[in-house]
Amino acid sequence: MSSNRLLHLKKKKGIQEFDKIIEKECVLIPSDISTHLVGEQLKKKFGESYITIAKSSSNPARAIRNFEKHHLLVRSDKALEDLKKSFPDISAKMLEDEPLFYKDQDYRSFKGRAKPHKLLDFESFFIDKPFMVSFNTGLEIKEQDSFDLEIVSIKKEGINWELHLSDESKVLAKNLYWGRSRKEYYDLLDVPSRENINKQELEFLLSVQENSLLSVYFEFNKCLHETSRTLFIPQSQTYDRGHYILDFNRPDKDSGKQEMTASIVIHNRDADEHELGEKIKKMKRKLNKLFPGFVQSIKMEEINYFPNLLSRVENVESREKFENLPEFIGTQSLNLVERSSIISNAFKSYEYSKNI
């Protein structure tokens, strides 16, 4: 996603326009890297009877890059351990120094007596030091046959899902794997399909707490912070508006350059491009005061928006209770393990897909 067009949807060249019903055994709606990995397993099983419906900004190569550089969600030894069960050859380097928060014109430890400005939902997750993860083995997820179209509505009839697309075509499938927001899935259902959902399924769909992540990756032509650590900068000194969460990499000793990822948890589910752009402008103004020359030293920036990436649900006992629902995967998957982290749960859905 480019810095000047946050939510731009780009039509693929040569995409076929459908004015008929397309029948497939399996359809995947991907989002993050774990959902694209699930797609690899589905392709092996269903072959030509498998298709993805994905926005052009959601492709495998970008998903790998985003995971390694932009949404730093591996933030505990347990999460890293879970990830290595799937990919033993990955390497991971943790940021070196303890995270600090900015208050009263000074940086303070979370372990001290001083308390930070109020941490909003999911912000405390970023207090743990992140791991910079690299797959090393040249992980490659093949580009799948994909419809670069919007889903207009969904109908569940018998064992089939019927997905109405923005080109007025529709896809029929017996198996639906959903990696995007559960609430979005519910919103797209037609009225009869909603009425068939049982109480437990409805609770699963609507009780989930979801927030999005706005991430800005910077490369600077000079050192702005002397070490590698996470800094929490309040967005406002007066109101509880959350923090700019800055993950600084260690400066390159030879070139003097530095990389940093700035994360903002978005609590407004309906945030549009204008609101996201304003948040980035305000962040740059704030950081330019705290780090002199911040704006002038930006060599490159890359903006990414991850809708509903951060989710929290109660643990569930069994998948068998959700017979009217698709298979939710990635960060939207059922949590079958107590106190599983966001990313651990996402990759568990990938491990589960190997046995389909």
Side-chain angles (χ1 to χ4, degrees), residues 8-13 15 17 56 148-149 166-167:
H8 176 59
L9 299 179
K10 180 182 178 183
K11 282 283 186 183
K12 292 182 179 178
K13 293 183 179 179
I15 188 169
E17 295 294 326
S56 58
D148 183 12
L149 297 167
S166 55
D167 68 343

Side-chain angles (χ1 to χ4, degrees), residues 78 82 313 315 335-342 344 348:
K78 181 63 169 62
D82 290 339
V313 295
N315 295 322
N335 192 355
L336 297 173
V337 180
E338 289 283 347
R339 294 182 294 277
S340 179
S341 73
I342 297 169
S344 294
K348 281 182 174 62

